[in-house]
Amino acid sequence: MPVDTKEFQELFRELNGYEKKGVYIELEGKPASPTQIVQAHMLREDSGYMRDYVLNEEGDLKALYFDHIDREK
């Protein structure tokens, strides 16, 4: 199995777990599913996404935002 495929599967499992726990997930300012996040990562070979974790008052993860960033060349 190619390394990228394994990485994408792991990312999907991670995000799917967050979604099942009720964590709100957003991509570029819009609600997104784990599948949409993984597809976006697959399409952006020369750039990536920065994660922004938002915690509630108890310190539990309540939201996860993905924002596109350009990698320096």
Coordinates of all heavy atoms in Angstrom, one line a residue:
M1 N 0.8 -1.2 0.0 CA 0.0 0.0 0.0 C 0.9 1.2 0.0 O 1.8 1.4 0.8 CB -0.9 0.0 1.2 CG -1.7 1.2 1.5 SD -2.7 1.1 3.0 CE -3.6 -0.4 2.7
P2 N 0.7 2.2 -0.9 CA 1.5 3.4 -1.0 C 1.4 4.2 0.3 O 0.3 4.2 1.0 CB 0.9 4.2 -2.1 CG 0.1 3.2 -2.9 CD -0.3 2.1 -2.0
V3 N 2.5 4.9 0.7 CA 2.5 5.6 2.0 C 1.4 6.6 2.0 O 0.7 6.8 3.0 CB 3.9 6.3 2.1 CG1 3.9 7.2 3.4 CG2 5.0 5.2 2.2
D4 N 1.2 7.4 0.9 CA 0.1 8.4 0.9 C -1.2 7.8 1.2 O -2.0 8.4 2.0 CB 0.1 9.1 -0.4 CG 1.3 10.1 -0.6 OD1 2.0 10.3 0.4 OD2 1.4 10.6 -1.7
T5 N -1.5 6.7 0.7 CA -2.8 6.0 0.9 C -3.0 5.7 2.4 O -4.1 6.0 2.9 CB -2.9 4.7 0.0 OG1 -2.8 5.1 -1.3 CG2 -4.3 4.1 0.2
K6 N -2.0 5.2 3.0 CA -2.0 4.8 4.4 C -2.2 6.1 5.2 O -3.0 6.1 6.2 CB -0.8 4.1 4.8 CG -0.8 3.6 6.2 CD 0.4 2.9 6.6 CE 0.4 2.4 8.0 NZ 1.5 1.6 8.5
E7 N -1.5 7.2 4.9 CA -1.7 8.4 5.6 C -3.1 9.0 5.5 O -3.6 9.5 6.5 CB -0.7 9.5 5.1 CG 0.8 9.2 5.5 CD 1.7 10.2 4.9 OE1 1.3 11.3 4.5 OE2 2.9 9.8 4.7
F8 N -3.7 8.9 4.3 CA -5.0 9.4 4.1 C -6.0 8.6 4.9 O -7.0 9.1 5.4 CB -5.4 9.5 2.6 CG -4.6 10.5 1.8 CD1 -4.0 10.2 0.6 CD2 -4.4 11.8 2.4 CE1 -3.3 11.1 -0.1 CE2 -3.6 12.7 1.7 CZ -3.1 12.4 0.4
Q9 N -5.8 7.3 4.9 CA -6.7 6.4 5.7 C -6.6 6.7 7.2 O -7.6 6.7 7.9 CB -6.4 4.9 5.4 CG -6.7 4.4 4.1 CD -6.3 3.0 3.8 OE1 -5.4 2.5 4.5 NE2 -6.9 2.4 2.8
E10 N -5.4 7.0 7.7 CA -5.2 7.3 9.1 C -5.9 8.7 9.4 O -6.5 8.8 10.4 CB -3.8 7.3 9.4 CG -3.1 6.0 9.5 CD -1.6 6.0 9.6 OE1 -1.0 7.1 9.9 OE2 -1.0 4.9 9.6
L11 N -5.8 9.6 8.5 CA -6.4 10.9 8.6 C -7.9 10.8 8.7 O -8.6 11.3 9.5 CB -6.0 11.9 7.5 CG -6.6 13.3 7.5 CD1 -6.3 14.0 8.8 CD2 -6.2 14.1 6.3
F12 N -8.5 10.0 7.8 CA -9.9 9.7 7.8 C -10.4 9.1 9.1 O -11.4 9.5 9.7 CB -10.3 8.8 6.6 CG -11.8 8.6 6.6 CD1 -12.7 9.5 6.1 CD2 -12.3 7.4 7.1 CE1 -14.0 9.2 6.1 CE2 -13.6 7.1 7.1 CZ -14.5 8.1 6.6
R13 N -9.7 8.1 9.6 CA -10.0 7.4 10.8 C -10.0 8.4 12.0 O -10.9 8.5 12.8 CB -9.1 6.3 11.1 CG -9.5 5.0 10.4 CD -8.8 3.8 10.9 NE -7.4 3.8 10.6 CZ -6.8 3.3 9.5 NH1 -7.6 2.8 8.6 NH2 -5.5 3.3 9.3
E14 N -9.0 9.3 12.0 CA -8.8 10.3 13.1 C -10.0 11.2 13.0 O -10.7 11.5 14.0 CB -7.5 11.0 12.9 CG -7.4 12.2 13.9 CD -6.2 13.1 13.6 OE1 -5.5 12.9 12.6 OE2 -6.1 14.1 14.3
L15 N -10.3 11.8 11.8 CA -11.4 12.8 11.7 C -12.7 12.1 11.9 O -13.6 12.8 12.5 CB -11.3 13.5 10.4 CG -10.0 14.3 10.1 CD1 -10.0 14.8 8.7 CD2 -9.9 15.4 11.1
N16 N -12.9 10.9 11.5 CA -14.2 10.2 11.7 C -14.5 10.0 13.2 O -15.6 10.2 13.7 CB -14.2 8.9 10.9 CG -15.5 8.3 10.8 OD1 -16.5 9.0 10.4 ND2 -15.6 7.0 11.1
G17 N -13.4 9.7 13.9 CA -13.5 9.6 15.4 C -13.9 10.9 16.0 O -14.8 10.9 16.9
Y18 N -13.3 12.0 15.6 CA -13.7 13.3 16.1 C -15.2 13.6 15.8 O -15.9 14.1 16.7 CB -12.9 14.4 15.5 CG -11.4 14.5 16.0 CD1 -10.4 14.9 15.2 CD2 -11.1 14.2 17.3 CE1 -9.1 15.0 15.6 CE2 -9.8 14.3 17.8 CZ -8.8 14.6 16.9 OH -7.5 14.7 17.4
E19 N -15.6 13.3 14.6 CA -17.0 13.6 14.2 C -17.9 12.8 15.0 O -19.0 13.3 15.4 CB -17.1 13.3 12.7 CG -18.5 13.6 12.1 CD -18.6 13.3 10.7 OE1 -18.4 12.2 10.3 OE2 -18.9 14.3 9.9
K20 N -17.6 11.5 15.3 CA -18.5 10.7 16.1 C -18.6 11.2 17.5 O -19.6 11.0 18.2 CB -18.0 9.2 16.1 CG -18.3 8.5 14.8 CD -17.8 7.1 14.9 CE -18.1 6.4 13.5 NZ -17.6 5.0 13.5
K21 N -17.6 11.9 18.0 CA -17.6 12.5 19.3 C -18.3 13.9 19.4 O -18.4 14.5 20.4 CB -16.2 12.6 19.9 CG -15.5 11.3 20.2 CD -14.1 11.5 20.7 CE -13.5 10.2 21.0 NZ -12.1 10.4 21.4
G22 N -18.8 14.3 18.2 CA -19.5 15.6 18.1 C -18.6 16.8 17.9 O -19.1 17.9 18.1
V23 N -17.4 16.6 17.5 CA -16.5 17.7 17.2 C -16.9 18.3 15.9 O -17.0 17.6 14.9 CB -15.0 17.2 17.2 CG1 -14.1 18.4 16.7 CG2 -14.6 16.7 18.5
Y24 N -17.0 19.6 15.9 CA -17.4 20.4 14.7 C -16.1 20.5 13.8 O -15.0 20.8 14.3 CB -17.9 21.8 15.0 CG -18.1 22.7 13.9 CD1 -19.2 22.5 13.1 CD2 -17.2 23.7 13.6 CE1 -19.5 23.4 12.0 CE2 -17.4 24.5 12.5 CZ -18.6 24.4 11.7 OH -18.8 25.2 10.6
I25 N -16.2 20.2 12.5 CA -15.0 20.2 11.6 C -15.4 21.2 10.5 O -16.4 21.1 9.9 CB -14.7 18.8 11.1 CG1 -14.4 17.8 12.2 CG2 -13.5 18.9 10.1 CD1 -14.3 16.4 11.8
E26 N -14.4 22.0 10.2 CA -14.6 23.1 9.2 C -13.3 23.1 8.3 O -12.2 23.0 8.7 CB -14.7 24.4 9.9 CG -15.1 25.5 9.0 CD -15.4 26.8 9.8 OE1 -16.5 26.9 10.4 OE2 -14.4 27.6 9.9
L27 N -13.6 23.3 7.0 CA -12.5 23.5 6.0 C -12.7 24.8 5.3 O -13.8 25.0 4.7 CB -12.6 22.3 5.0 CG -11.7 22.4 3.8 CD1 -10.2 22.3 4.2 CD2 -12.0 21.3 2.8
E28 N -11.8 25.7 5.4 CA -11.8 27.0 4.7 C -13.1 27.7 5.0 O -13.7 28.3 4.1 CB -11.6 26.8 3.2 CG -10.3 26.3 2.7 CD -9.2 27.2 3.0 OE1 -9.3 28.4 2.9 OE2 -8.1 26.7 3.4
G29 N -13.5 27.7 6.2 CA -14.7 28.5 6.7 C -16.0 27.9 6.5 O -17.1 28.5 6.7
K30 N -16.1 26.6 6.0 CA -17.3 25.9 5.8 C -17.3 24.5 6.5 O -16.3 23.9 6.5 CB -17.6 25.7 4.3 CG -17.7 27.0 3.5 CD -17.9 26.8 2.1 CE -17.9 28.1 1.3 NZ -18.0 27.9 -0.1
P31 N -18.5 24.1 7.0 CA -18.6 22.8 7.6 C -18.1 21.7 6.6 O -18.4 21.8 5.4 CB -20.0 22.6 8.0 CG -20.6 24.0 8.0 CD -19.8 24.8 7.0
A32 N -17.4 20.7 7.1 CA -16.9 19.7 6.2 C -16.9 18.3 6.9 O -16.8 18.2 8.1 CB -15.4 20.0 5.8
S33 N -17.0 17.3 6.1 CA -17.0 15.9 6.6 C -15.5 15.4 6.5 O -14.7 16.0 5.8 CB -17.9 15.0 5.7 OG -17.3 14.9 4.4
P34 N -15.2 14.3 7.2 CA -13.9 13.7 7.1 C -13.5 13.4 5.7 O -12.4 13.6 5.3 CB -14.0 12.4 8.0 CG -15.0 12.8 9.0 CD -16.1 13.6 8.3
T35 N -14.5 12.9 4.9 CA -14.2 12.6 3.5 C -13.8 13.9 2.7 O -12.8 13.8 1.9 CB -15.4 12.0 2.8 OG1 -15.8 10.8 3.5 CG2 -15.2 11.7 1.4
Q36 N -14.5 15.0 2.9 CA -14.1 16.2 2.3 C -12.7 16.7 2.6 O -12.0 17.2 1.8 CB -15.2 17.3 2.6 CG -16.5 17.0 1.9 CD -17.6 18.0 2.4 OE1 -17.7 18.2 3.6 NE2 -18.3 18.6 1.5
I37 N -12.4 16.6 3.9 CA -11.0 17.0 4.4 C -10.0 16.1 3.7 O -9.0 16.6 3.2 CB -10.9 16.9 5.9 CG1 -12.0 17.7 6.6 CG2 -9.5 17.2 6.4 CD1 -11.8 19.2 6.5
V38 N -10.2 14.8 3.7 CA -9.2 13.9 3.1 C -9.0 14.2 1.6 O -7.9 14.3 1.0 CB -9.5 12.5 3.3 CG1 -8.7 11.5 2.5 CG2 -9.4 12.1 4.8
Q39 N -10.1 14.4 0.9 CA -10.1 14.7 -0.6 C -9.3 16.0 -0.8 O -8.5 16.1 -1.7 CB -11.5 14.8 -1.1 CG -12.2 13.5 -1.3 CD -13.6 13.6 -1.7 OE1 -14.3 14.7 -1.6 NE2 -14.2 12.5 -2.2
A40 N -9.5 17.0 0.0 CA -8.8 18.3 -0.1 C -7.3 18.1 0.1 O -6.5 18.6 -0.7 CB -9.3 19.3 0.9
H41 N -6.9 17.3 1.0 CA -5.5 17.0 1.2 C -4.9 16.2 0.0 O -3.8 16.5 -0.3 CB -5.3 16.1 2.5 CG -5.2 16.9 3.8 ND1 -6.4 17.4 4.4 CD2 -4.2 17.3 4.5 CE1 -6.0 18.0 5.5 NE2 -4.7 18.0 5.6
M42 N -5.7 15.3 -0.5 CA -5.2 14.6 -1.7 C -5.0 15.5 -2.9 O -4.0 15.3 -3.7 CB -6.2 13.5 -2.0 CG -6.2 12.4 -1.0 SD -7.5 11.2 -1.2 CE -6.9 10.3 -2.6
L43 N -5.8 16.5 -3.1 CA -5.7 17.4 -4.2 C -4.6 18.4 -4.1 O -4.1 19.0 -5.1 CB -7.1 18.1 -4.5 CG -8.2 17.2 -4.9 CD1 -9.5 17.9 -4.9 CD2 -7.9 16.5 -6.2
R44 N -4.2 18.7 -2.9 CA -3.2 19.8 -2.7 C -1.8 19.2 -2.4 O -1.4 19.1 -1.3 CB -3.6 20.6 -1.4 CG -5.0 21.3 -1.6 CD -4.7 22.7 -1.8 NE -6.0 23.4 -1.8 CZ -6.2 24.6 -2.3 NH1 -5.2 25.3 -2.7 NH2 -7.4 25.2 -2.3
E45 N -1.2 18.8 -3.5 CA 0.1 18.1 -3.3 C 1.2 19.1 -2.9 O 2.1 18.7 -2.2 CB 0.5 17.5 -4.6 CG -0.4 16.3 -5.0 CD 0.0 15.6 -6.3 OE1 1.0 16.0 -6.9 OE2 -0.8 14.8 -6.7
D46 N 1.2 20.4 -3.4 CA 2.3 21.3 -3.2 C 2.0 22.3 -2.1 O 2.6 23.3 -1.9 CB 2.7 22.0 -4.4 CG 1.6 22.7 -5.1 OD1 0.4 22.5 -4.7 OD2 1.8 23.5 -6.0
S47 N 0.9 22.1 -1.3 CA 0.5 22.9 -0.2 C -0.2 22.1 0.8 O -0.3 20.9 0.7 CB -0.4 24.1 -0.7 OG -1.6 23.5 -1.3
G48 N -0.6 22.7 1.9 CA -1.2 21.9 2.9 C -2.2 22.7 3.7 O -2.7 23.7 3.3
Y49 N -2.6 22.1 4.8 CA -3.6 22.8 5.7 C -3.1 22.9 7.1 O -2.4 21.9 7.6 CB -4.9 21.9 5.7 CG -5.6 22.0 4.4 CD1 -5.4 21.1 3.4 CD2 -6.6 23.0 4.2 CE1 -6.0 21.2 2.2 CE2 -7.2 23.1 3.0 CZ -7.0 22.2 2.0 OH -7.6 22.3 0.8
M50 N -3.4 24.0 7.7 CA -3.0 24.2 9.1 C -4.2 23.9 9.9 O -5.4 24.2 9.6 CB -2.6 25.7 9.3 CG -2.3 26.0 10.8 SD -1.8 27.7 11.0 CE -3.4 28.5 10.6
R51 N -4.0 23.2 11.0 CA -5.1 22.8 11.9 C -5.2 23.8 13.1 O -4.2 24.3 13.6 CB -4.9 21.5 12.6 CG -5.0 20.3 11.6 CD -4.8 19.0 12.4 NE -4.8 17.9 11.6 CZ -5.1 16.6 12.0 NH1 -5.4 16.4 13.2 NH2 -5.0 15.6 11.1
D52 N -6.4 24.2 13.4 CA -6.7 25.0 14.6 C -7.6 24.3 15.5 O -8.8 24.0 15.1 CB -7.3 26.4 14.1 CG -7.5 27.4 15.2 OD1 -6.9 27.2 16.3 OD2 -8.2 28.3 15.0
Y53 N -7.2 23.9 16.6 CA -8.0 23.2 17.6 C -8.6 24.1 18.6 O -8.0 25.0 19.1 CB -7.1 22.2 18.4 CG -6.4 21.1 17.6 CD1 -5.2 21.3 17.0 CD2 -7.1 19.9 17.5 CE1 -4.6 20.3 16.3 CE2 -6.5 18.9 16.8 CZ -5.3 19.1 16.2 OH -4.7 18.1 15.4
V54 N -9.9 24.0 18.8 CA -10.7 24.8 19.7 C -11.2 23.9 20.8 O -11.9 22.9 20.6 CB -11.9 25.5 19.0 CG1 -12.7 26.4 19.9 CG2 -11.4 26.3 17.8
L55 N -10.9 24.3 22.1 CA -11.3 23.5 23.2 C -12.5 24.2 24.0 O -12.6 25.4 23.9 CB -10.1 23.4 24.2 CG -8.8 22.9 23.6 CD1 -7.7 22.8 24.6 CD2 -9.0 21.5 23.0
N56 N -13.2 23.4 24.7 CA -14.3 23.9 25.5 C -13.7 24.3 26.9 O -12.5 24.2 27.1 CB -15.5 23.0 25.6 CG -15.2 21.7 26.2 OD1 -14.2 21.5 27.0 ND2 -16.0 20.7 26.1
E57 N -14.6 24.7 27.8 CA -14.2 25.2 29.1 C -13.5 24.1 29.9 O -12.7 24.3 30.8 CB -15.4 25.7 29.9 CG -16.0 27.0 29.3 CD -16.9 26.7 28.1 OE1 -17.4 25.6 28.0 OE2 -17.0 27.6 27.3
E58 N -13.9 22.8 29.6 CA -13.3 21.7 30.3 C -12.0 21.2 29.7 O -11.4 20.2 30.2 CB -14.3 20.5 30.4 CG -15.5 20.8 31.3 CD -16.6 21.6 30.6 OE1 -16.8 21.4 29.4 OE2 -17.2 22.4 31.3
G59 N -11.6 21.8 28.6 CA -10.4 21.4 27.9 C -10.6 20.3 26.9 O -9.6 19.7 26.3
D60 N -11.8 20.0 26.6 CA -12.1 18.9 25.5 C -12.2 19.6 24.2 O -12.7 20.7 24.0 CB -13.4 18.2 25.8 CG -13.4 17.5 27.2 OD1 -12.4 16.9 27.5 OD2 -14.4 17.6 27.9
L61 N -11.8 18.9 23.1 CA -11.9 19.4 21.8 C -13.4 19.6 21.4 O -14.2 18.7 21.5 CB -11.2 18.4 20.8 CG -11.1 18.8 19.4 CD1 -10.3 20.1 19.2 CD2 -10.5 17.7 18.5
K62 N -13.7 20.8 20.9 CA -15.1 21.1 20.5 C -15.1 21.4 19.0 O -16.2 21.3 18.4 CB -15.7 22.1 21.3 CG -15.3 23.6 21.1 CD -16.1 24.5 21.8 CE -15.9 26.0 21.4 NZ -16.7 26.9 22.1
A63 N -14.0 21.9 18.4 CA -14.0 22.2 17.0 C -12.6 22.1 16.4 O -11.6 22.2 17.1 CB -14.5 23.6 16.8
L64 N -12.6 21.7 15.1 CA -11.3 21.6 14.4 C -11.4 22.3 13.1 O -12.3 22.0 12.3 CB -11.0 20.1 14.2 CG -9.7 19.7 13.5 CD1 -8.5 20.3 14.2 CD2 -9.6 18.2 13.4
Y65 N -10.6 23.3 12.9 CA -10.6 24.1 11.6 C -9.4 23.8 10.8 O -8.3 23.7 11.3 CB -10.6 25.6 11.9 CG -11.8 26.0 12.8 CD1 -11.6 26.4 14.1 CD2 -13.1 26.0 12.3 CE1 -12.7 26.8 14.9 CE2 -14.2 26.3 13.1 CZ -14.0 26.8 14.4 OH -15.0 27.1 15.1
F66 N -9.6 23.6 9.5 CA -8.5 23.4 8.5 C -8.4 24.6 7.6 O -9.4 25.0 7.0 CB -8.7 22.2 7.7 CG -8.5 20.9 8.4 CD1 -9.5 20.3 9.2 CD2 -7.3 20.2 8.3 CE1 -9.3 19.1 9.9 CE2 -7.1 19.0 9.0 CZ -8.1 18.5 9.8
D67 N -7.3 25.3 7.6 CA -7.1 26.5 6.7 C -5.9 26.2 5.8 O -4.8 25.7 6.2 CB -6.8 27.7 7.5 CG -8.0 28.1 8.4 OD1 -9.1 28.3 7.8 OD2 -7.9 28.2 9.6
H68 N -6.1 26.5 4.5 CA -5.1 26.2 3.4 C -3.9 27.1 3.7 O -4.0 28.3 4.0 CB -5.7 26.5 2.1 CG -4.7 26.4 1.0 ND1 -4.3 27.5 0.3 CD2 -4.1 25.3 0.4 CE1 -3.4 27.1 -0.6 NE2 -3.3 25.8 -0.5
I69 N -2.7 26.6 3.5 CA -1.5 27.3 3.6 C -0.6 26.9 2.4 O -0.6 25.8 1.9 CB -0.7 27.1 4.9 CG1 -0.4 25.6 5.1 CG2 -1.4 27.7 6.1 CD1 0.5 25.4 6.2
D70 N 0.1 27.9 1.9 CA 1.1 27.5 0.8 C 2.4 27.2 1.4 O 2.9 28.0 2.3 CB 1.3 28.7 -0.2 CG 0.1 28.9 -1.1 OD1 -0.4 27.8 -1.5 OD2 -0.3 30.0 -1.4
R71 N 3.0 26.1 1.0 CA 4.4 25.8 1.5 C 5.4 26.6 0.7 O 5.3 26.8 -0.5 CB 4.6 24.3 1.4 CG 3.7 23.4 2.2 CD 4.0 22.0 2.0 NE 3.0 21.2 2.8 CZ 2.8 20.0 2.6 NH1 3.4 19.3 1.7 NH2 1.9 19.3 3.4
E72 N 6.4 27.0 1.5 CA 7.5 27.7 0.8 C 8.2 26.8 -0.2 O 8.5 25.6 0.1 CB 8.5 28.3 1.8 CG 7.9 29.4 2.7 CD 8.9 30.0 3.6 OE1 10.1 30.1 3.2 OE2 8.5 30.4 4.7
K73 N 8.6 27.3 -1.3 CA 9.3 26.5 -2.3 C 10.8 26.7 -2.3 O 11.3 27.6 -1.8 CB 8.8 26.9 -3.7 CG 7.3 26.6 -3.9 CD 6.8 26.9 -5.2 CE 5.4 26.6 -5.3 NZ 4.8 26.8 -6.6

